[in-house]
């Protein structure tokens, strides 16, 4: 995609969980200017960077609660996430973010984000509203309290069953 549009870069931030993946990412970053690898950043610097990206991407193949995506959504950034459990519990395709199942779909959705900034802003705004409402500290506290009370009783917690379980960035240089 970078070959077709040299403004597009993929910035990978954070240590991959597997050493082999880390080595592969570092090698790719050395081979092409399309990929930028940053081992880790403070939360302040990460948020600063997220706010300047066109989108934040989650390419994980396994996810519990996609914290980086939720942070990006809270900051009002559009997110592109792989179609896996965890991600799709937080991101609703084309409503609160974008969900992809293949590299081709990822590129198509990324191109649409760049080509339709008003649409991208609307998706980001819905994502931001969703995270602020569904994962507000008060509702998180209530959900965990219900979970703990249910566990203390030895049975399933009431009111928790239907609740949804609670990184990379796509950049375009000018």
């Amino acid at each position: 995609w970078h070959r077709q549009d040299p403004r597009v870069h993929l910035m990978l931030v954070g240590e991959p969980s597997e050493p082999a993946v880390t080595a592969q990412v570092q090698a790719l970053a050395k081979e092409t200017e399309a990929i930028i690898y940053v081992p880790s950043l403070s939360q302040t610097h990460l948020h600063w960077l997220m706010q300047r990206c066109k989108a934040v991407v989650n390419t994980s193949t396994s996810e519990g609660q996609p914290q980086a995506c939720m942070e990006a959504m809270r900051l009002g950034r559009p997110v592109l996430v792989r179609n896996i459990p965890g991600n799709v519990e937080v991101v609703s395709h084309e409503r609160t973010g974008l969900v992809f199942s293949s590299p081709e779909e990822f590129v198509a959705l990324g191109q649409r984000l760049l080509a339709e900034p008003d649409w991208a802003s609307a998706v980001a705004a819905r994502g931001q509203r969703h995270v602020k409402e569904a994962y507000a500290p008060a509702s998180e506290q209530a959900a965990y309290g219900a979970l703990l009370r249910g566990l203390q009783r030895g049975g399933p917690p009431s009111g928790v069953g239907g609740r949804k379980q609670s990184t990379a960035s796509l950049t375009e240089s000018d």
Side-chain angles (χ1 to χ4, degrees):
W1 180 9
H2 176 76
R3 285 184 215 121
Q4 296 167 352
D5 186 346
R7 298 172 301 158
V8 176
H9 295 83
L10 182 66
M11 180 179 290
L12 302 165
V13 179
E15 296 288 342
S17 58
E18 299 176 27
V21 174
T22 301
Q24 188 178 28
V25 166
Q26 289 172 334
L28 282 170
K30 287 178 184 173
E31 288 176 20
T32 175
E33 62 182 31
I35 297 174
I36 302 162
Y37 174 61
V38 179
S40 64
L41 291 172
S42 69
Q43 186 178 44
T44 301
H45 288 104
L46 180 62
H47 286 180
W48 180 88
L49 186 62
M50 284 179 172
Q51 290 173 317
R52 283 148 185 84
C53 293
K54 294 294 181 184
V56 173
V57 180
N58 181 318
T59 61
S60 296
T61 56
S62 174
E63 189 68 68
Q65 186 177 44
Q67 292 294 325
C69 285
M70 293 171 68
E71 289 177 51
M73 292 166 76
R74 188 167 186 80
L75 292 169
R77 305 313 306 150
V79 295
L80 285 101
V81 300
R82 187 183 302 267
N83 187 1
I84 57 168
N87 285 346
V88 296
E89 272 48 19
V90 173
V91 178
S92 175
H93 184 58
E94 292 195 7
R95 190 172 97 51
T96 60
L98 304 172
V99 180
F100 65 91
S101 298
S102 69
E104 297 79 18
E105 194 173 9
F106 166 75
V107 170
L109 290 168
Q111 288 173 332
R112 184 172 178 200
L113 277 176
L114 296 176
E116 299 180 37
D118 290 342
W119 175 75
S121 293
V123 170
R126 289 191 299 268
Q128 183 178 43
R129 190 169 43 255
H130 169 66
V131 168
K132 285 183 175 181
E133 291 171 1
Y135 301 96
S139 57
E140 288 287 295
Q141 183 179 11
Y144 281 114
L147 174 65
L148 292 173
R149 286 188 296 281
L151 292 172
Q152 286 174 335
R153 286 192 301 268
S158 62
V160 176
R163 184 174 179 278
K164 293 189 177 194
Q165 296 299 308
S166 335
T167 314
S169 66
L170 178 66
T171 63
E172 180 186 35
S173 57
D174 294 324

